Amino acid sequence: ESIGIGPDGRAYTTGTGCQVYRINLTSNAAEQFASTEARCLGSAVDADHNLYVAHTGGNVLKITPDAVTSVYATGPGGANFNCTNYPAFDKQGNMYLSDSGDWSGTINGMLYKIKPGGGEAQQWYPHAVDTPNAIALDADEKYLYFVETFGNAIVRVAINDDGSAGELERVVHMPRHIPDGIAFDSEGRLWIACHRPDAIYYFDLKSRRLELF
């Protein structure tokens, strides 16, 4: 689940059996270098090659290149998150985190923010959101984009100058699709991977066109 790319160009991903893999994209060789107590979902890599994974055990884990694993962040008050799904860093080292909720159909997902260095998360967007999945910041860090899986949409929340959450806006609606992952390219297009159907799209924010890749 998920692909995180480090500063050296190596990729990281996780398996459904709690495996953590490191991949050399030049040689196409992979190694399992760590494992976790529960399955991990989204991941992000910092400039020192440390991997941060959304751990479904209820927290965010930090895994060093030599596989030393520690808890990087917990929910408010030290509590467990409901379904830790995807982390993303901004340029100041703040981590944004999606918590998908309980997947019951009740809108109880959350968007959190964690200060540089980790610790207890704080609820960033003040309202519950619908099954937030993968997240991504645009290049200018004006918006936090997230996948609204059960809402069949890609949504963004404005990032105010003081770092607080602004207005929420649905950017593209995808009826009869279950979007799962997102990433920006160097041209500012948003790439969308779907759980169903098995398809990848890209969305041009300027023209508002959604194209099948």
Side-chain angles (χ1 to χ4, degrees), residues 2 7 9 20 24-25 45 51-52 55 61 75 89 118 137 151 153 166 210:
S2 168
V20 183
N24 185 318
L25 296 177
V45 189
L51 179 68
Y52 301 81
H55 184 224
L61 299 179
F89 284 107
L137 296 165
L210 181 68

Side-chain angles (χ1 to χ4, degrees), residues 51-192:
L51 179 68
Y52 301 81
V53 289
H55 184 224
T56 58
N59 49 34
V60 178
L61 299 179
K62 175 182 178 180
I63 305 174
T64 67
D66 54 358
V68 175
T69 302
S70 60
V71 174
Y72 181 76
T74 66
N80 284 345
F81 296 106
N82 203 335
C83 181
T84 324
N85 199 307
Y86 211 100
F89 284 107
D90 67 14
K91 294 171 185 175
Q92 287 72 45
N94 297 295
M95 176 184 285
Y96 293 86
L97 179 73
S98 63
D99 182 338
S100 298
D102 61 9
W103 298 95
S104 66
T106 300
I107 296 178
N108 54 16
M110 297 290 175
L111 297 173
Y112 291 99
K113 191 173 184 179
I114 300 153
K115 294 180 179 180
E120 293 183 11
Q122 300 297 318
Q123 186 174 339
W124 179 64
Y125 185 69
H127 308 292
V129 291
D130 191 353
T131 51
N133 201 320
I135 61 177
L137 296 165
D138 65 333
D140 295 328
E141 297 189 350
K142 292 183 177 180
Y143 296 96
L144 174 72
Y145 289 76
F146 70 91
V147 173
E148 192 180 52
T149 294
F150 284 176
N152 315 106
I154 309 301
V155 183
R156 70 183 184 186
V157 177
I159 301 174
N160 295 326
D161 290 340
D162 64 357
S164 63
E167 294 297 318
L168 181 146
E169 173 192 5
R170 284 178 178 80
V171 176
V172 56
H173 188 217
M174 304 178 70
R176 300 178 298 280
H177 288 67
I178 303 176
D180 193 354
I182 52 173
F184 280 99
D185 66 16
S186 59
E187 298 177 17
R189 296 178 301 181
L190 190 63
W191 291 74
I192 305 166

Side-chain angles (χ1 to χ4, degrees), residues 172 174 177 189-194 196-204 208-213:
V172 56
M174 304 178 70
H177 288 67
R189 296 178 301 181
L190 190 63
W191 291 74
I192 305 166
C194 292
R196 291 291 184 274
D198 296 321
I200 298 172
Y201 293 85
Y202 62 88
F203 180 68
D204 189 314
R208 314 291 287 190
R209 289 182 62 85
L210 181 68
E211 300 282 352
L212 176 67
F213 177 68

Side-chain angles (χ1 to χ4, degrees), residues 1-2 13-20 35-43 52-57 59 61 63 84-85:
E1 175 100 11
S2 168
T13 191
T14 61
T16 57
C18 309
Q19 313 97 321
V20 183
S35 61
T36 57
E37 294 180 357
R39 185 183 178 193
C40 293
L41 300 179
S43 62
Y52 301 81
V53 289
H55 184 224
T56 58
N59 49 34
L61 299 179
I63 305 174
T84 324
N85 199 307

